[in-house]
């Protein structure tokens, strides 16, 4: 049993980019930043419980952290996990335009 606090920990934030905005408009796919140790079934359960929407499928990607230069030092960004959530037809969940 997953508690409500755990549900909020699994879903970090929506990932806002040109690609995610295009996917949302074109094929009803939401892109979210999620906890790196979460599984597809945990992500699905969290979204269904928090937003009451039906999910068609979920794809996840581990994004490797980049190396950036800061003055003369190399700074390493963290690895993070991205989830592509495809909603079923007739379902709406839009974080960008504030439609829930």
């Amino acid at each position: 049993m997953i508690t409500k606090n755990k549900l909020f920990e699994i879903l970090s934030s929506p990932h806002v980019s040109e690609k995610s905005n295009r996917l949302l408009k074109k094929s009803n796919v939401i892109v979210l930043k999620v906890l790196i140790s979460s599984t597809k079934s945990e992500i699905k359960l969290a979204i269904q419980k928090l937003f009451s929407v039906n999910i068609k499928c979920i794809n996840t990607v581990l994004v490797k952290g980049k190396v950036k230069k800061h003055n003369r030092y190399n700074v390493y960004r963290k690895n993070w996990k991205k989830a592509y959530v495809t909603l079923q037809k007739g379902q709406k969940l839009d974080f960008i335009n504030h439609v829930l």
Side-chain angles (χ1 to χ4, degrees):
M1 184 69 188
I2 298 176
T3 62
K4 195 165 189 175
N5 289 338
K6 179 70 174 170
L7 295 177
F8 285 111
E9 288 176 10
I10 291 173
L11 304 177
S12 298
S13 64
H15 180 66
V16 181
S17 65
E18 291 181 17
K19 181 180 178 182
S20 65
N21 195 14
R22 187 173 57 243
L23 282 173
L24 180 64
K25 290 179 181 176
K26 187 176 180 182
S27 54
N28 209 15
V29 174
I30 298 168
V31 184
L32 300 169
K33 291 182 182 180
V34 295
L35 191 66
I36 201 161
S37 62
S38 61
T39 62
K40 289 182 182 183
S41 58
E42 290 175 343
I43 297 168
K44 183 175 183 176
L45 182 67
I47 293 171
Q48 286 177 341
K49 292 235 180 197
L50 292 175
F51 301 112
S52 302
V53 292
N54 295 327
I55 297 171
K56 186 176 179 183
C57 70
I58 294 178
N59 296 323
T60 58
V61 177
L62 278 173
V63 180
K64 300 291 183 186
K66 295 180 179 179
V67 178
K68 295 288 186 174
K69 288 286 236 183
H70 185 70
N71 293 336
R72 60 183 177 159
Y73 303 106
N74 287 335
V75 178
Y76 297 93
R77 295 203 178 157
K78 292 182 183 177
N79 297 339
W80 56 283
K81 194 173 203 176
K82 183 174 13 176
Y84 291 94
V85 180
T86 306
L87 300 176
Q88 289 183 355
K89 286 192 175 186
Q91 299 291 315
K92 271 290 203 204
L93 185 59
D94 187 0
F95 295 108
I96 298 169
N97 298 322
H98 305 291
V99 177
L100 298 173

